[in-house]
């Protein structure tokens, strides 16, 4: 499971780092913006894995654990001690769940603009992040709406094995 989670996570990281997601009128090219884009892609996979039996649940947990470990490594590389990592990781994971929930609600409405609104509401104490979400231009929102719809359609057709092996393709953006 861990190897499969690493494969999936690596593919998601590659996709979520594409420059097309970042810049003026798009996600900010900073830590928070990169996490938002990664979470969007994690949400596609997690949503899909829910369709499968206990193997999907186990892979979903392994993927989450791999992401959490990656976050912890990043914090340690910033020089944080074990205590510092524990203090920082809890809010990060909580925010991850909040973001996934917001994306999932946006998916249900098939519009990214609803996701952006949900994020704005979920980040009342993070003025910079909330402000950045209001800066999405309408063309980028329409493009993301289409990307989200096409990605969810593509993922709904993949088998558990295809996902586990990283044999999935994201649509063009």
């Amino acid at each position: 499971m861990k190897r499969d989670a690493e494969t999936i996570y690596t593919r998601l990281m590659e996709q979520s780092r594409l420059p097309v997601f970042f810049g003026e009128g798009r996600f900010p090219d900073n830590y928070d913006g990169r996490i938002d884009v990664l979470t969007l892609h994690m949400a596609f996979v997690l949503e899909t894995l829910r369709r499968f039996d206990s193997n999907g649940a186990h892979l979903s947990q392994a993927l989450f654990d791999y992401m959490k470990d990656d976050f912890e490594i990043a914090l340690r590389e910033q020089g944080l001690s074990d205590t510092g990592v524990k203090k920082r990781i809890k809010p990060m994971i909580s925010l991850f769940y909040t973001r996934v929930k917001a994306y999932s609600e946006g998916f249900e409405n098939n519009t990214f603009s609803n996701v952006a609104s949900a994020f704005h509401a979920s980040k009342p104490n993070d003025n910079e992040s909330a402000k950045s979400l209001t800066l999405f231009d309408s063309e980028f929102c329409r493009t993301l709406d289409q990307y989200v719809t096409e990605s969810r359609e593509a993922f709904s057709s993949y088998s558990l094995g295809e996902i586990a092996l990283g044999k999935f393709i994201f649509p063009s953006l």
Side-chain angles (χ1 to χ4, degrees):
M1 268 308 149
K2 188 172 182 176
R3 176 180 268 166
D4 294 339
E6 179 182 8
T7 299
I8 296 166
Y9 187 76
T10 299
R11 291 287 320 282
L12 298 178
M13 286 292 287
E14 289 168 358
Q15 182 70 15
S16 67
R17 295 290 171 98
L18 292 177
V20 71
F21 289 107
F22 305 99
E24 188 174 335
R26 298 168 185 234
F27 288 95
D29 192 9
N30 59 24
Y31 181 80
D32 200 49
R34 290 186 294 274
I35 293 295
D36 281 340
V37 178
L38 173 62
T39 302
L40 173 65
H41 291 89
M42 288 279 292
F44 295 144
V45 174
L46 296 174
E47 177 185 50
T48 303
L49 292 176
R50 281 192 287 266
R51 293 183 333 193
F52 300 102
D53 59 11
S54 62
N55 288 329
H58 291 302
L59 184 53
S60 180
Q61 185 61 53
L63 180 59
F64 172 80
D65 292 343
Y66 193 88
M67 179 200 67
K68 182 178 174 271
D69 291 347
D70 186 54
F71 287 178
E72 286 180 4
I73 289 167
L75 292 172
R76 289 183 200 291
E77 287 175 350
Q78 292 176 8
L80 293 177
S81 66
D82 286 346
T83 305
V85 168
K86 281 184 178 182
K87 283 183 180 179
R88 295 272 310 273
I89 201 73
K90 275 184 148 181
M92 288 174 71
I93 297 305
S94 176
L95 188 53
F96 170 79
Y97 281 123
T98 301
R99 288 170 172 166
V100 167
K101 182 179 181 209
Y103 278 136
S104 294
E105 289 169 359
F107 294 165
E108 289 173 16
N109 297 317
N110 288 320
T111 60
F112 184 79
S113 55
N114 289 334
V115 176
S117 296
F119 270 133
H120 185 67
S122 74
K123 295 182 179 182
N125 296 324
D126 189 351
N127 293 333
E128 191 61 36
S129 296
K131 179 182 165 191
S132 69
L133 289 169
T134 64
L135 300 178
F136 286 143
D137 65 36
S138 59
E139 182 179 334
F140 184 61
C141 280
R142 282 191 300 275
T143 300
L144 276 176
D145 285 345
Q146 182 176 351
Y147 179 77
V148 165
T149 299
E150 291 175 9
S151 293
R152 289 181 67 227
E153 286 173 6
F155 271 84
S156 71
S157 70
Y158 294 125
S159 69
L160 183 60
E162 289 170 319
I163 294 169
L165 294 172
K167 294 188 178 200
F168 48 84
I169 298 170
F170 287 99
S172 300
L173 188 66

